[in-house]
Amino acid sequence: DPKIIQKPKYLVAVTGSEKILICEQYLGHNAMYWYRQSAKKPLEFMFSYSYQKLMDNQTASSRFQPQSSKKNHLDLQITALKPDDSATYFCASSQTGTGVYEQYFGPGTRLTVL
Amino acid sequence: GDKVKQSPSALSLQEGTNSALRCNFSIAATTVQWFLQNPRGSLINLFYLVPGTKENGRLKSAFDSKESYSTLHIRDAQLEDSGTYFCAAEADSGYNKLTFGKGTVLLVSP
């Protein structure tokens, strides 16, 4: 059974629209993350959350807003979509407080903005 | 410049041969993870390292934080080893933020 679920797997959006990417993890982890992988850049860190609180934000644009309704959920809302936002978005999770913070990644959501 | 520099960028191996991939860090890496991204795009965990070495089957990895590098050795390469290998480092700055290299594309052929 998949331990980190991302929905949808593929997403096509028009410029200017808004989308929400879903992430749920069933690893019992307390920390969750978002990363982005595009053709132009390597995998890059976006956000980290611990116990549903934002810990680090490396995304310059406020168009990207994480939303954590439950401890094992971290969705990503993207507003005013641009073609440059086209990328695969990966959700990840890890334990915290144990000294071992190995991150595990979901299968990704591939977003295409037309 | 790149905070995590991977080499080589691409590699072709014949089945049964050995090779080594390397990452050099210009950040103060405290832990390193190695991943294989398979053709479907999934990131598969290979190793999580504090300074030291680990071995798992035909794979062996080392991380030297003082010299700021990590290596991944592949022994007896198999077709299913093909994919893109990424190293990622965590430094003291940022909350568990992983900084990734650009990857090594490995193709194993018969």
Side-chain angles (χ1 to χ4, degrees), chain A residues 1-82:
Chain A
D1 289 337
K3 302 296 187 187
I4 301 181
I5 296 170
Q6 289 191 243
K7 297 181 222 177
K9 190 171 176 62
Y10 301 100
L11 191 53
V12 179
V14 295
T15 298
S17 65
E18 171 183 318
K19 291 293 180 187
I20 295 180
L21 282 54
I22 306 292
C23 178
E24 306 168 14
Q25 57 91 4
Y26 296 93
L27 294 165
H29 290 161
N30 299 313
M32 295 184 71
Y33 314 87
W34 278 102
Y35 290 82
R36 174 171 52 192
Q37 184 178 37
S38 68
K40 299 175 186 176
K41 295 182 181 179
L43 271 150
E44 54 178 352
F45 172 91
M46 299 179 72
F47 299 97
S48 61
Y49 267 65
S50 178
Y51 293 96
Q52 296 184 264
K53 291 186 180 175
L54 177 66
M55 303 302 291
D56 196 0
N57 176 0
Q58 298 285 322
T59 303
S61 173
S62 60
R63 296 186 299 108
F64 295 85
Q65 290 293 327
Q67 299 169 345
S68 181
S69 60
K70 297 181 193 176
K71 191 180 91 166
N72 68 326
H73 282 231
L74 186 65
D75 301 336
L76 182 64
Q77 180 185 39
I78 315 174
T79 58
L81 279 160
K82 303 177 180 181

Side-chain angles (χ1 to χ4, degrees), chain A residues 33 35 37 56 101-103, chain B residues 33 37 45 48 94 96 98:
Chain A
Y33 314 87
Y35 290 82
Q37 184 178 37
D56 196 0
Y101 306 121
E102 182 173 5
Q103 292 184 29
Chain B
Q33 286 193 241
Q37 188 166 39
N45 287 42
Y48 173 83
N96 295 357
L98 287 178

